[in-house]
């Protein structure tokens, strides 16, 4: 339905962008960057301790989704599931550290129970969920991806659903399957964009400007992981990237490039999609 | 066995102290204070994201226990149980916010499963557990307290087990029961000491010096909650108390008063107790 949907939203032929803040709720420093940037869109990791802060203190037009989580990738902080599934846990009881380990072990029924519990917890905290997306893309295993698509339909929520499976972080032999699943879905599809792989030698702002300038027409889901470089934030192994995102997105030169786009929220997409599916 | 045990450790008649850092693992700021103070003893909240940091980066003679947790008292950060027990969770899925709510709802079997899982997670992370204690005293409900005593015996670990139930944070009609349970236990008993109720108008260091100076002979479990007053630490509603603990315990004048005590670790108590019970 993407073409008809974007058309109904007046986006056809435009350079449209959703600037998406990942990993909200994971750290106080991640939430700090969210308040500092004062942009509408992001998604919250419900198994993490700081999730309630984002939900309690969100701007009125906040465009917040659930960042469906099945992995806990650092040595610390670490997270454990909301639900009892043994297959979701590593030897210590945390979510698996890598997609490979998660894909090897998780049972689809246990993943489904966990993902549903994360959505329900967000609703229970009073979040008006506007979309769902996926931490590290762990939902991309085909059977789990079917659950992800199903949750979008059931809750009437748009997903981070890329048009193309080509650069998805999955084994190459699964990309064709993923592509078929994407194409079979009636949910709207976006163009995945990020700074992954960009050259940051000339500085974060330049990397942002270069990456953004290359984006053509389409609805781009541009994700970032901005976090404050405070004492807690600097405890993450990738804090420099997160701090770089914050720096660039705070830079008027980057905001100027972003202002050339038509900004879109998942709330707008969700509401248009619900009208469309009704 | 306390008298015989303290005697075997050469502590009889002495002013002995265990300076105990509570809530480790709960926040990065709490762990920061732990590294900054560089004292041996504290306990870790296993359902919290920063627990693995404490365990991975502990000094060789660290004296770390498990801070058994059945409550999550702030609006954020919040924690959820390791185990599935529905009675352990509030409407949102977190541990109960207060002891009263926890005592009203939790089933003793579900509390037992959770407390065992917290101990096992610490062991699984490689912690040489030296003792167990209790976050907010939630284990003081008589049936849960029996589980707590049982865990101490089973794992051969000393507990935070006060000689007197008199100031325990429980309804008055339960104090006699608690007192009987304490007296019936063969585990060593300590004198509970803290800054709770101290006058801090003359500053944290003075409050520490006054409180410590009044402690007579006995083995005192002196607990504190030192946390760094950084961006994350200041997000706690009681951050000024935590910062005050850090300030006072970093003050040479307080350290001088503390140096008048015989310092004891739970590792020493544990090892003496194991010889004693053997």
């Amino acid at each position: 339905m993407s073409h008809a949907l974007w058309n109904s939203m007046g986006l056809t032929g435009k350079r449209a962008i959703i600037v998406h803040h990942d990993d909200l709720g994971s750290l106080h420093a991640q939430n700090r960057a969210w308040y500092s940037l004062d942009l509408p869109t992001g998604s919250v990791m419900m198994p993490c301790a700081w999730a309630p802060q984002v939900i309690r203190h969100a701007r009125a037009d906040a465009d917040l989704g659930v960042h469906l989580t099945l992995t806990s990738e650092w040595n610390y902080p670490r997270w454990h599931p909301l639900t009892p599934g043994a297959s979701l846990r590593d030897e210590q009881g945390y979510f698996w550290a890598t997609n490979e380990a998660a894909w090897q072990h998780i049972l689809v029924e246990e993943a489904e129970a966990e993902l549903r519990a994360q959505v329900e917890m967000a609703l229970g905290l009073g979040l008006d969920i506007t979309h769902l997306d996926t931490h590290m893309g762990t939902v991309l295993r085909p059977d789990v991806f079917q659950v992800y698509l199903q949750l979008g339909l059931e809750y009437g929520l748009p997903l981070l659903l890329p048009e193309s499976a080509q650069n998805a972080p999955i084994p190459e032999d699964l990309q064709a399957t993923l592509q078929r699943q994407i194409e079979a879905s009636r949910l709207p599809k976006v163009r995945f964009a990020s700074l992954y792989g960009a050259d940051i030698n000339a500085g974060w702002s330049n990397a942002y400007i270069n990456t953004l300038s290359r984006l053509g027409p389409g609805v781009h889901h541009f994700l970032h992981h901005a976090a404050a470089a405070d004492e807690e934030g600097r405890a993450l192994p990738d804090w420099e990237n997160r701090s770089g995102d914050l720096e660039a997105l705070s830079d008027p030169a980057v905001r100027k490039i972003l202002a050339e786009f038509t900004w879109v929220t998942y709330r707008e997409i969700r509401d248009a999609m619900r009208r469309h599916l009704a």
Side-chain angles (χ1 to χ4, degrees), chain A:
Chain A
M1 77 151 117
S2 292
H3 289 297
L5 186 76
W6 302 146
N7 203 36
S8 77
M9 292 175 71
L11 296 174
T12 306
K14 290 204 175 142
R15 294 174 78 221
I17 199 163
I18 306 153
V19 179
H20 192 278
H21 203 150
D22 281 30
D23 298 355
L24 297 175
S26 61
L27 285 95
H28 182 263
Q30 198 85 11
N31 292 359
R32 268 190 84 201
W34 160 253
Y35 294 113
S36 158
L37 288 173
D38 197 25
L39 297 174
T41 304
S43 60
V44 188
M45 297 175 75
M46 298 313 303
C48 300
W50 292 95
Q53 185 188 35
V54 188
I55 296 175
R56 270 181 177 249
H57 303 292
R59 43 190 266 186
D61 64 344
D63 183 39
L64 287 169
V66 175
H67 199 52
L68 296 167
T69 300
L70 294 169
T71 44
S72 174
E73 66 271 40
W74 301 307
N75 289 335
Y76 43 84
R78 295 212 75 189
W79 308 292
H80 61 277
L82 303 179
T83 52
S87 74
L88 306 175
R89 290 167 159 82
D90 70 6
E91 280 185 4
Q92 280 84 41
Y94 298 108
F95 284 115
W96 297 100
T98 64
N99 277 342
E100 289 66 30
W103 290 332
Q104 192 186 329
H105 291 96
I106 58 178
L107 301 175
V108 66
E109 335 53 283
E110 294 188 341
E112 175 165 358
E114 176 63 25
L115 300 181
R116 286 184 184 276
Q118 293 179 14
V119 174
E120 289 297 324
M121 180 181 251
L123 293 173
L125 287 168
L127 182 64
D128 180 23
I129 306 175
T130 62
H131 63 291
L132 303 176
D133 71 335
T134 162
H135 187 56
M136 294 170 57
T138 320
V139 303
L140 294 175
R141 196 179 76 181
D143 52 349
V144 183
F145 196 69
Q146 277 308 124
V147 170
Y148 179 64
L149 294 168
Q150 176 60 27
L151 289 175
L153 282 175
E154 243 182 81
Y155 285 96
L157 295 173
L159 307 172
L160 167 51
L161 190 62
E163 289 177 355
S164 164
Q166 206 173 2
N167 294 313
I170 49 168
E172 226 171 293
D173 61 321
L174 289 180
Q175 288 191 354
T177 307
L178 182 61
Q179 190 66 47
R180 278 195 299 275
Q181 290 178 294
I182 291 170
E183 284 170 13
S185 172
R186 299 167 61 210
L187 293 165
K189 288 130 209 174
V190 292
R191 298 197 170 174
F192 184 86
S194 77
L195 228 62
Y196 292 138
D199 177 12
I200 58 152
N201 286 323
W204 282 93
S205 290
N206 284 327
Y208 261 75
I209 291 167
N210 290 337
T211 302
L212 291 166
S213 300
R214 273 193 224 110
L215 298 179
V219 179
H220 302 279
H221 175 110
F222 184 88
L223 66 83
H224 69 89
H225 299 86
D230 57 21
E231 294 285 347
E232 181 210 26
R234 284 199 304 273
L236 295 187
D238 63 350
W239 72 270
E240 284 175 304
N241 293 349
R242 290 168 191 262
S243 166
D245 282 336
L246 178 57
E247 181 193 309
L249 286 165
S250 307
D251 182 341
V254 173
R255 293 275 181 134
K256 190 163 163 251
I257 300 289
L258 282 169
E260 295 170 2
F261 288 82
T262 301
W263 282 56
V264 185
T265 63
Y266 274 113
R267 184 180 298 280
E268 293 162 340
I269 297 173
R270 180 194 69 181
D271 295 347
M273 176 184 123
R274 286 177 178 175
R275 285 192 299 272
H276 221 82
L277 289 174

